[in-house]
Amino acid sequence: MLAVLMIAAAFTAVTAVQSTLKTEAAETGNNNFPAFDPLAPGASYSCILYNYANGLPTSEANAITQTSDGFIWIGSYGGLVRYDGNSFERMDSSLGISSVICLLADRRDRLWFGSNDSGLAMLYRDEVMHWGLDEGLRSLSICCFVEDPKGTIYVGTKDGVYTINEDLQLTHIDDERIDDVYIGDMKIGSDGLIYCISQAKDMFTLKDGKVVKYFPNDVVPVENVSCILPSKIYPGYVYLGSDNGGVYHCDFRETPRIAKSFTDEVLAAPNSMNYIDGRIWVCATDKIAVIEGAKVKVLENSPMNNAIYKVMEDYEGNLWFASTRQGVMEITPNRFTDIYEQYQLPSDVVNATGIYDNKLFIGTDLGLNIIDQNGVYDKLELKEPFKLNGSSDTYTDLKKVFEGHRIRSIITDSKDRTGLGVFCYDHGKLTQYTQDNGMISNKARRVVEFSDGSIVVATGDGVSVIKDDKVVKNYGRDDGLENPIILTVAEGFDGDILAGSDGAGIYVIKDGETKVLTLDNGLTSDTILLMKRDHKRDIIWVISSNSIGYFEPGYKFTHVKNFPYSNNFDFVQNSKDEMWVLNSNGIYVVPTDDMLKNEDINVTRYTISNGLSCTSTANSNSVVTDKGELYMAGNAGVIRLNIESGSDEE
């Protein structure tokens, strides 16, 4: 099912100009908004170096990979090491390989490991299979592994290349050009070819166990090649790292040639290259760098700065590096990331955040900011010219439409559209809803999608309902909303419309009839900031100007008396059934069951004093991604944190 972006904006002119920064795109486009980028300006992260002094039973690491059970495996001269997230364990020597040079976790979740002097082994379901001289290897020194799209394992050795098929049969690739070559590096390309470099600096490609193309070193346009990486988007192109220094983007489709050179001094001695999040990570002798577009960026202040050979990303998005002299380094994001600092945006009050088309939409008092992994958008072109209702101005840029106007609410609906005020943005097409085409008011405050697909809008003059792209119903003073200033709306227990007002309680609208819930019904305040259904229970949470409580069916209200803070704005829940309550003091985290017990409540607090750079904006709404990334609308920008990573004890 497709979706759109629904946006609620207040069109009040404000004279201000926001500066933006547009960065150059990476060579490959990864359209997912990045969860963690340690090279971004203002990125907050921690580097943890593991060696013999803090748990790793060695201070050298040749290879690193992860299997689907979450274990991280490290190959060292001292053998195979397993990390379970808490401790490192050297595997029993009965595995038969003591000096691990390379690792591969294949699609079948088998772990392959190659040694410096005792051949090849594969671990699967606690059983180990070995290949040595008796099984057909001509060299016991294994250099590298690659798995092709058919699941065939290619094994690079000091005496040629072997394949292992699905029946675990070992076959030497019989071609006089590569019969006895020392394989330096192998990588799989997006075209299904295996790209190889020999120690003699010859280059060749393999497919289906045969040599496809062979280039002797005298035609390879880069001298002293140390590592290889096929381009993801240009078949036949590869990146070559040179012992002489630099990385070169080369065309090997016909006559080999250098298409682009990266000769920055930080790339003086590249040892390996890998794609992570669409960018090329380079492990060099003393530095870690990224090639992004035409730029080379260096990871500053890294404690790992010697003999860096491998990099990988684990399932949680953390980065791991292996050094043959320093052990293993993990880079983890700090809990809070200041998106405005990271993308060099000026401080601003943010009222709403939303994710749409893999972009972060940020609604502010001054208009709209749009960010993706490549930077801040200067503009976002509309597919069709757009004219504001009641205005002669025509726009071709979405950002210009909202320039100087306050955006209060952003959601993405089930039809994959996003809404800004009320505007419906559908993959480049913009539609506006105002009093001219049926809305009860132009003062939209919050947009919510109900289970029947209707869009319900809280406004300064009542409630409007949009369905099938038309305004189908309005509720105002004539319908029993004596105070029509509505701050929030929610879907009730039987499809009712709940409208939280600014001082008159909650209106319950059903079948054209309206009743009101006030202090007489147990509410602690008649000013209602937020109503939201619990993610797993048949209750509706209510945040008022002075408390948190909840409705049960029949609209029986319970006040959570022991919640330790009164000025709350919003909350989100995670898969661990924790409530993350956003308020003027920071973020309070508490198990939902503790809220329902209504006894003593112990919360974990995140405030300015322990990492937050700003607090939530009153009456704001913040998006949470499927991975638990919360983009909190703050009073000085946007804070990103992951609500699934757990809360620390205070």
Side-chain angles (χ1 to χ4, degrees):
M1 184 176 290
L2 298 177
V4 294
L5 192 70
M6 300 298 298
I7 306 174
F11 270 66
T12 304
V14 180
T15 57
V17 178
Q18 293 183 344
S19 63
T20 57
L21 172 71
K22 180 67 176 173
T23 62
E24 188 165 345
E27 187 241 352
T28 63
N30 178 355
N31 291 323
N32 293 317
F33 194 79
F36 172 47
D37 179 8
L39 285 100
S44 180
Y45 59 89
S46 299
C47 296
I48 306 170
L49 189 62
Y50 298 105
N51 54 33
Y52 69 91
N54 63 348
L56 185 67
T58 180
S59 285
E60 37 76 18
N62 301 314
I64 188 165
T65 193
Q66 185 176 30
T67 45
S68 65
D69 54 13
F71 287 118
I72 289 175
W73 301 84
I74 299 160
S76 75
Y77 291 120
L80 186 65
V81 178
R82 186 178 71 181
Y83 180 61
D84 63 5
N86 295 303
S87 60
F88 296 92
E89 177 187 2
R90 189 194 302 272
M91 304 308 291
D92 192 280
S93 59
S94 63
L95 290 179
I97 292 185
S98 59
S99 181
V100 178
I101 298 298
C102 52
L103 293 168
L104 171 69
D106 70 13
R107 295 188 194 91
R108 300 176 187 175
D109 215 31
R110 301 174 298 187
L111 179 66
W112 298 83
F113 42 111
S115 77
N116 193 39
D117 51 20
S118 53
L120 164 69
M122 183 267 289
L123 174 64
Y124 183 59
R125 295 179 178 174
D126 298 325
E127 301 221 352
V128 179
M129 184 172 181
H130 292 267
W131 288 263
L133 298 178
D134 292 342
E135 288 73 30
L137 285 176
R138 301 194 309 200
S139 170
L140 294 178
S141 186
I142 310 300
C143 306
C144 46
F145 294 112
V146 163
E147 181 182 14
D148 77 2
K150 297 179 180 179
T152 301
I153 305 300
Y154 286 71
V155 185
T157 76
K158 289 185 180 179
D159 196 0
V161 182
Y162 298 77
T163 61
I164 298 179
N165 65 15
E166 61 181 8
D167 297 322
L168 299 178
Q169 290 181 317
L170 179 76
T171 303
H172 180 258
I173 295 180
D174 187 14
D175 188 302
E176 62 180 11
R177 293 169 294 180
I178 66 167
D179 261 353
D180 57 357
V181 300
Y182 185 145
I183 305 301
D185 195 12
M186 293 196 305
K187 292 287 193 319
I188 182 75
S190 59
D191 51 9
L193 295 176
I194 311 293
Y195 289 78
C196 309
I197 284 289
S198 74
Q199 192 182 48
K201 316 308 178 187
D202 303 323
M203 178 182 156
F204 55 94
T205 57
L206 303 170
K207 189 171 185 179
D208 297 329
K210 297 180 180 179
V211 176
V212 178
K213 286 186 177 181
Y214 178 82
F215 304 94
N217 58 35
D218 58 354
V219 302
V220 175
V222 176
E223 294 183 353
N224 296 320
V225 176
S226 58
C227 51
I228 189 169
L229 183 68
S231 169
K232 279 194 172 182
I233 61 173
Y234 299 117
Y237 282 75
V238 298
Y239 290 87
L240 298 178
S242 170
D243 283 334
N244 293 352
V247 172
Y248 301 85
H249 194 205
C250 300
D251 181 357
F252 277 87
R253 292 172 300 174
E254 296 179 4
T255 303
R257 67 179 183 88
I258 295 174
K260 188 175 183 60
S261 301
F262 302 88
T263 55
D264 193 290
E265 62 180 10
V266 303
L267 301 175
N271 294 318
S272 69
M273 297 178 288
N274 274 302
Y275 280 105
I276 296 177
D277 287 336
R279 297 176 298 174
I280 299 170
W281 286 78
V282 182
C283 294
T285 296
D286 62 350
K287 290 183 177 67
I288 296 165
V290 163
I291 296 175
E292 185 173 14
K295 299 178 181 179
V296 177
K297 300 179 182 180
V298 180
L299 182 68
E300 302 288 354
N301 303 316
S302 168
M304 182 173 280
N305 53 21
N306 197 318
I308 309 163
Y309 273 85
K310 299 295 180 183
V311 59
M312 63 156 255
E313 182 182 34
D314 69 18
Y315 297 145
E316 295 181 345
N318 303 313
L319 296 171
W320 292 78
F321 298 85
S323 163
T324 58
R325 293 189 178 181
Q326 291 182 288
V328 170
M329 181 176 70
E330 178 187 14
I331 299 182
T332 61
N334 289 346
R335 181 174 292 280
F336 307 110
T337 300
D338 187 329
I339 295 295
Y340 267 44
E341 181 181 1
Q342 180 175 340
Y343 287 90
Q344 301 178 13
L345 286 167
S347 177
D348 197 2
V349 175
V350 174
N351 304 305
T353 59
I355 300 288
Y356 185 68
D357 278 347
N358 297 312
K359 302 176 183 66
L360 176 64
F361 286 72
I362 302 171
T364 79
D365 280 354
L366 302 175
L368 181 67
N369 285 323
I370 306 169
I371 298 172
D372 69 8
Q373 66 164 0
N374 300 317
V376 179
Y377 279 69
D378 292 324
K379 63 180 181 179
L380 186 60
E381 291 187 3
L382 296 169
K383 291 182 179 178
E384 301 174 1
F386 174 80
K387 181 177 288 188
L388 281 170
N389 288 355
S391 171
S392 60
D393 296 331
T394 300
Y395 299 88
T396 58
D397 170 20
L398 183 67
K399 280 174 62 72
K400 280 288 185 183
V401 174
F402 299 100
E403 189 174 85
H405 302 290
R406 176 178 295 163
I407 295 175
R408 294 183 179 274
S409 177
I410 302 175
I411 68 166
T412 301
D413 72 7
S414 58
K415 294 182 179 179
D416 194 32
R417 304 174 299 184
T418 195
L420 314 163
V422 175
F423 293 78
C424 175
Y425 177 70
D426 188 354
H427 301 285
K429 181 180 179 181
L430 190 63
T431 303
Q432 184 181 11
Y433 297 91
T434 68
Q435 288 176 297
D436 291 344
N437 55 8
M439 290 287 293
I440 197 170
S441 173
N442 291 336
K443 303 171 185 176
R445 294 180 177 273
R446 186 177 289 266
V447 180
V448 175
E449 183 179 19
F450 279 26
S451 58
D452 65 355
S454 61
I455 303 299
V456 182
V457 186
T459 82
D461 296 296
V463 175
S464 290
V465 180
I466 301 170
K467 193 167 186 181
D468 298 327
D469 301 328
K470 295 179 181 179
V471 179
V472 296
K473 187 65 179 176
N474 290 310
Y475 301 96
R477 291 184 186 275
D478 293 342
D479 303 284
L481 279 64
E482 295 183 2
N483 179 351
I485 302 176
I486 305 303
L487 303 180
T488 184
V489 290
E491 184 171 2
F493 295 107
D494 298 312
D496 317 339
I497 295 175
L498 303 182
S501 74
D502 187 10
I506 299 171
Y507 297 104
V508 182
I509 306 169
K510 183 175 179 62
D511 298 331
E513 297 185 358
T514 300
K515 68 177 181 179
V516 62
L517 304 173
T518 65
L519 300 177
D520 294 337
N521 304 96
L523 297 178
T524 60
S525 171
D526 283 335
T527 299
I528 309 301
L529 304 180
L530 179 76
M531 295 177 292
K532 189 184 293 187
R533 188 175 289 271
D534 189 275
H535 69 152
K536 61 186 294 187
R537 303 168 185 84
D538 193 21
I539 61 174
I540 298 169
W541 291 95
V542 179
I543 295 180
S544 70
S545 62
N546 63 10
S547 72
I548 296 179
Y550 58 91
F551 283 128
E552 296 176 88
Y555 297 106
K556 176 187 175 183
F557 184 77
T558 298
H559 171 211
V560 180
K561 297 178 180 179
N562 293 317
F563 191 79
Y565 199 72
S566 61
N567 193 21
N568 304 296
F569 305 140
D570 197 357
F571 78 90
V572 290
Q573 291 171 288
N574 64 13
S575 62
K576 301 171 186 177
D577 203 22
E578 294 173 323
M579 291 184 70
W580 294 61
V581 181
L582 315 182
N583 56 48
S584 62
N585 191 44
I587 302 173
Y588 286 23
V589 186
V590 59
T592 306
D593 281 345
D594 288 0
M595 297 281 280
L596 297 173
K597 289 176 184 175
N598 212 358
E599 298 172 355
D600 291 338
I601 296 176
N602 294 315
V603 303
T604 299
R605 296 176 174 87
Y606 299 108
T607 66
I608 299 296
S609 64
N610 62 357
L612 280 176
S613 57
C614 65
T615 59
S616 178
T617 304
N619 298 315
S620 61
N621 67 291
S622 303
V623 68
V624 182
T625 70
D626 292 340
K627 295 181 180 180
E629 295 288 341
L630 168 66
Y631 291 87
M632 186 185 80
N635 57 13
V638 175
I639 301 297
R640 183 183 65 217
L641 63 146
N642 193 296
I643 66 171
E644 293 293 342
S645 60
S647 57
D648 304 321
E649 292 300 325
E650 188 178 27

